[in-house]
Structure formats: C-alpha cells, structure tokens
C-alpha cells in the first residue's frame, strides 16, 4: 500500500521507531496483580486476603440489599435522565454526606462555613484537596503516615508536591501506634505543612488513635499551623457505629481548624465501581467558603468536568429517607460485625497453636485490614507455598477469612513464623 509516496509492506509499521520509545513499563499495582494471580491459581485451598473489598462468609462480593432496592427504584423512575449533573455534584448527595459526617445539626453547615463537592471516590477527593492547596495556597510540603495507603504518595506526586514526607505511625516492635514518633515528626515538619490524616480504620495498620492521642495531635497541628486533610473511607464500616467512626473528624473539626475532609462511600455502601466521594471544605467564614467553592468548581471542571450520577443518587436516596437509612445502617453493622468476628477467630486459632510472638494487635485493630507484622519473606512463602495471597507489607483483608479457611490460614501463618525469617 502506498502512503505519502512510500511503499509499506505488512510488518513495516512494527519496525518503525515510536515517539513513545523511551516510555518504560510501569511496575504492576500490587493489589490488582495479586488478584489476577489468585484468579489464575487452581489450588483448592487458595485464599485471597489482598483485595480491599468486603466478602461474605462464602467469599463472595456483597451488594447491599438496600442498594439493590434503590437501584430498582431508580431504574423504574422515568423522571430521571442521563443529562449532566452540576459540576460540583448532586446537591442532595453532598449535603446529606456532609451531615452524616459532621452531624445532622452542625452549625458550620447551617451558617455556610462548610460546603462540599462531589468527587470520584475518596481518591478523587484527596486529589482535589491536595491539588487545590498547591495551586491556591502554594503548599509544597506533604506529610503522610508511615505506613499509609499505597495511593497517598502517588496522588501527592500527581498534584506536584515537591516534598513528600512521612511521619512515624506504626511501631513494628510493639505492634501499636508510635505516638511519640508521630508527635516528634509533626513538630519537626515545616510550619504550614499539609498533614494527611486517617480518620478511622487506618489503612494499612487498622490501629487508630485514642481520643487523648488525638488531643495531642491537634495541639501540635495548631502549634505548627499545619493544614489537616482528613481521609475517611470507613465511617460505620469500621465499628458498625456511624457516630463513633466520625469522632476523630468531629474532634479536629470542632477544634476550629480550616480543613479539608475526604469522604468515600466505596466500603460502607459497597459501591466500589461507582466512585462515590465527597470533599468537605471548612473555612472560618461563609464568604470565604463561597469563594473557595467557585475555584473548586473550576478545578473539577478541568479535571473530570462532571461527576457520574448513579452512585451519588443511590447514596442520596438512602441518606435522605429514614427507612432506607435504617436499613443501610443495619447492612453496615452486618459487615462490621462479621469482620470483628473473623479477627477473634483468627486470634483464637493462633493462640491455640501457640504461635510465637504477640497477636493481640489482631483484635485491637479495627476495620477491614489487619497489619500482621509478618515479614516480606514470610508473606512470599504464604503466597508461593500456601496459596494465601496478601500484600508484601503483611496487610491482610479480614473479610477474606471465613469459618472454612481460618484454621488453614492460621496454620500457614504459624508455619512461616516458626520457619521463615
């Protein structure tokens, strides 16, 4: 075939150099690569403890009954269409999500100091928050916990923070929060740094701060004039109690900070693929908040233009209807209680086996994840020899454990603790 005066034979295009020649392949995303490997594994005893999603006692995904009901109602509602929703999202969703987080009668919401915009999951909310602070406040120093959710640093890099640092959080030897190290690092951070905080069910450790520890953190944040960005992905899902899981956010908020709060509804509604998030903006005046929202609108417009409607409509209907809300609260409690039971069962099995070391942290931690304390080589052995899939940092999803596999998982953990360094 002749192209611009030249003759090309089949296969010639494959021999041509590409303008993308210097682009190198990115490493696989660990959690998704694990899932892919798990799916291909034919071993009858295989267990997936890597994926960050809820599983039933039968090891199956669970669409919440209240979500199924609302989806049917939405499908039958001929008044709905596929037109764009507002750039900042569905107002009934944003307002209800914010009330859920800060309290139904919060004064900051009523007087206009608090507002919010819909985001593409918690990830999108974190991105908007960090990007906004860099563009409009010139922030460049970001601090995340060590360890933290694997995407936090990457989002910071995408938002072009020039200094991404860690504050100590996990004491590997004692298997608890390193409070002294955390406070020391926050005090040493340059004044006015952006501090990314896990509000509840810390990912990956599952170890949260006590009320007294939060008071100490708040004191340092004020002393150093840091800007808090709180990431809350597990309200209700962590303890089964919506109010309890919001306590840290409310404590920081009620201390008078201007702040951003990033909400996700992936876990507590099971809407993983709908990408439902909310970014809450708190300032010291309604006039400032109104100006912020105009600029946030422009940032959303140039980022994803308009958010999707299906997921936010589901959440909005549930949060704004008393009967649906009560049903949802029951669904969330069901998930939280099953996770708590699996923690106890795994702890009891390890105790029965007299597995070396301390394992109290399994039942002291909260939420979906357990930070086991296993080494990378021990994790690799679990994957290769026992077909138990977990992250190399030792994080496991407690939802992947059930009555049928808990003994198998415990025996495998006992084996690697005794025989693998």
């Amino acid at each position: 075939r002749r192209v611009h005066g030249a003759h090309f034979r089949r296969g010639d295009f494959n021999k041509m150099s590409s303008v993308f020649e210097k682009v190198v392949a990115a490493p696989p995303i660990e959690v998704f690569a694990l899932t892919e490997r798990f799916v291909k594994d034919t071993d009858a005893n295989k267990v997936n403890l890597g994926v960050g999603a809820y599983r039933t006692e039968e090891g199956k995904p669970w669409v919440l009954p209240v979500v199924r009901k609302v989806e049917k109602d939405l499908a039958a509602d001929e008044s709905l269409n596929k037109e764009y929703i507002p750039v900042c999202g569905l107002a009934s969703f944003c307002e209800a999500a914010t009330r859920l987080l800060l309290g139904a009668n919060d004064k900051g919401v009523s007087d206009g100091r608090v507002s919010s915009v819909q985001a593409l999951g918690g990830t999108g909310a974190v991105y908007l928050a960090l990007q906004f602070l860099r563009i409009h406040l010139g922030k460049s120093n970001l601090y995340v916990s060590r360890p933290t959710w694997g995407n936090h640093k990457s989002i910071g890099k995408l938002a072009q923070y020039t200094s991404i640092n860690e504050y100590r959080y996990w004491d590997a030897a004692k298997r608890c929060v390193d409070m002294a190290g955390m406070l020391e690092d926050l005090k040493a951070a340059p004044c006015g740094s952006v501090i990314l905080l896990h509000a509840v069910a810390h990912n990956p450790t599952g170890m949260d701060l006590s009320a007294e520890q939060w008071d100490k953190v708040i004191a340092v944040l004020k002393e150093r004039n840091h800007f808090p960005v709180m990431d809350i992905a597990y309200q209700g899902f962590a303890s089964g109690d919506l109010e309890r899981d919001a306590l840290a956010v409310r404590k920081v908020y009620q201390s008078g900070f201007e702040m951003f709060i990033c909400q996700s509804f992936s876990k507590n509604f099971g809407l993983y693929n709908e990408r439902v998030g909310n970014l809450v903006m708190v300032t010291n005046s309604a006039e400032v908040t109104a100006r912020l929202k105009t600029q946030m609108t422009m940032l959303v417009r140039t980022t994803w233009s308009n958010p999707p409607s299906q997921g936010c409509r589901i959440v909005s209907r549930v949060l704004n209807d008393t009967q649906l809300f009560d049903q949802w609260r029951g669904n969330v409690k069901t998930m939280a209680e099953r996770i708590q039971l699996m923690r106890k069962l795994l702890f009891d099995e390890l105790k029965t086996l007299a597995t070396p070391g301390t394992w109290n942290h399994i039942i002291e931690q909260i939420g979906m994840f357990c930070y086991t304390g296993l080494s990378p080589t021990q994790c690799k052995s679990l994957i290769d020899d026992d077909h138990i899939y977990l992250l190399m940092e030792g994080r496991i999803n407690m939802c992947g454990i059930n009555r049928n596999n808990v003994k198998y998982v415990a025996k495998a953990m006992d084996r690697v603790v005794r025989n693998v360094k």
Side-chain angles (χ1 to χ4, degrees), residues 179-238:
M179 196 61 206
M182 180 181 184
L183 294 175
E184 183 179 347
D185 291 343
L186 293 180
K187 287 178 182 178
C191 286
S193 294
V194 177
I195 311 298
L196 189 50
L197 299 159
H198 297 244
V200 69
H202 182 277
N203 181 1
T205 71
M207 193 67 75
D208 288 344
L209 303 183
S210 67
E212 293 75 18
Q213 288 173 325
W214 273 113
D215 286 337
K216 293 178 181 179
V217 169
I218 288 168
V220 175
L221 294 178
K222 284 187 173 182
E223 175 189 336
R224 302 294 293 167
N225 196 31
H226 292 322
F227 190 96
V229 175
M230 300 194 76
D231 188 356
I232 179 163
Y234 303 95
Q235 187 179 355
F237 190 93

Side-chain angles (χ1 to χ4, degrees), residues 76-373:
D77 188 345
E78 294 189 4
S79 71
L80 299 177
N81 55 51
K82 297 300 181 181
E83 291 291 305
Y84 294 117
I85 63 174
V87 173
C88 285
L90 193 68
S92 62
F93 159 73
C94 293
E95 293 165 5
T98 304
R99 289 196 304 269
L100 178 74
L101 181 64
L102 300 181
N105 301 309
D106 178 69
K107 192 173 184 299
V109 175
S110 61
D111 68 17
R113 293 187 303 105
V114 177
S115 188
S116 63
V117 298
Q118 187 177 333
L120 299 188
T123 302
V126 172
Y127 174 77
L128 286 181
L130 297 185
Q131 187 71 289
F132 189 95
L133 293 171
R134 186 191 62 79
I135 293 172
H136 293 283
L137 299 188
K139 298 292 186 181
S140 59
N141 291 314
L142 172 65
Y143 279 76
V144 302
S145 65
R146 184 173 72 238
T148 191
W149 176 49
N151 222 11
H152 276 157
K153 285 186 178 181
S154 298
I155 297 171
K157 290 178 182 177
L158 185 63
Q160 299 181 25
Y161 278 70
T162 56
S163 179
I164 301 176
N165 309 278
E166 297 177 324
Y167 56 85
R168 281 168 283 178
Y169 191 86
W170 174 252
D171 186 326
K174 298 179 180 178
R175 298 185 178 180
C176 64
V177 173
D178 181 359
M179 196 61 206
M182 180 181 184
L183 294 175
E184 183 179 347
D185 291 343
L186 293 180
K187 287 178 182 178
C191 286
S193 294
V194 177
I195 311 298
L196 189 50
L197 299 159
H198 297 244
V200 69
H202 182 277
N203 181 1
T205 71
M207 193 67 75
D208 288 344
L209 303 183
S210 67
E212 293 75 18
Q213 288 173 325
W214 273 113
D215 286 337
K216 293 178 181 179
V217 169
I218 288 168
V220 175
L221 294 178
K222 284 187 173 182
E223 175 189 336
R224 302 294 293 167
N225 196 31
H226 292 322
F227 190 96
V229 175
M230 300 194 76
D231 188 356
I232 179 163
Y234 303 95
Q235 187 179 355
F237 190 93
S239 69
D241 186 329
L242 292 162
E243 300 299 304
R244 175 183 170 184
D245 291 348
L247 285 178
V249 165
R250 294 178 186 179
K251 181 177 275 288
V252 176
Y253 165 64
Q254 290 165 3
S255 297
F257 286 96
E258 294 187 300
M259 61 188 297
F260 287 158
I261 312 164
C262 308
Q263 283 178 283
S264 169
F265 292 91
S266 295
K267 304 296 193 299
N268 57 11
F269 266 81
L271 294 172
Y272 302 98
N273 65 15
E274 298 288 359
R275 312 312 300 137
V276 188
N278 189 47
L279 173 61
V280 179
M281 303 169 288
V282 180
T283 80
N284 56 18
S285 81
E287 190 271 333
V288 171
T289 297
R291 282 193 277 119
L292 248 68
K293 193 162 185 177
T294 65
Q295 290 293 347
M296 194 66 76
T297 301
M298 298 307 297
L299 180 57
V300 171
R301 176 65 173 159
T302 56
T303 306
W304 52 70
S305 186
N306 297 80
S309 66
Q310 180 71 2
C312 71
R313 282 176 172 157
I314 293 170
V315 176
S316 176
R317 289 214 176 182
V318 171
L319 297 186
N320 288 297
D321 182 285
T322 302
Q323 288 186 333
L324 293 174
F325 181 82
D326 288 343
Q327 185 180 350
W328 170 64
R329 188 163 50 186
N331 292 166
V332 172
K333 190 174 182 181
T334 294
M335 293 189 288
E337 289 180 346
R338 197 186 92 75
I339 293 170
Q340 291 162 8
L341 176 60
M342 292 307 108
R343 287 186 179 278
K344 184 178 186 307
L345 292 181
L346 179 60
F347 172 76
D348 288 346
E349 289 295 336
L350 291 171
K351 190 174 179 180
T352 298
L353 292 167
T355 303
T358 176
W359 300 98
N360 288 339
H361 58 286
I362 293 177
I363 52 177
E364 292 170 352
Q365 293 170 2
I366 192 171
M368 178 179 285
F369 301 116
C370 172
Y371 211 53
T372 60

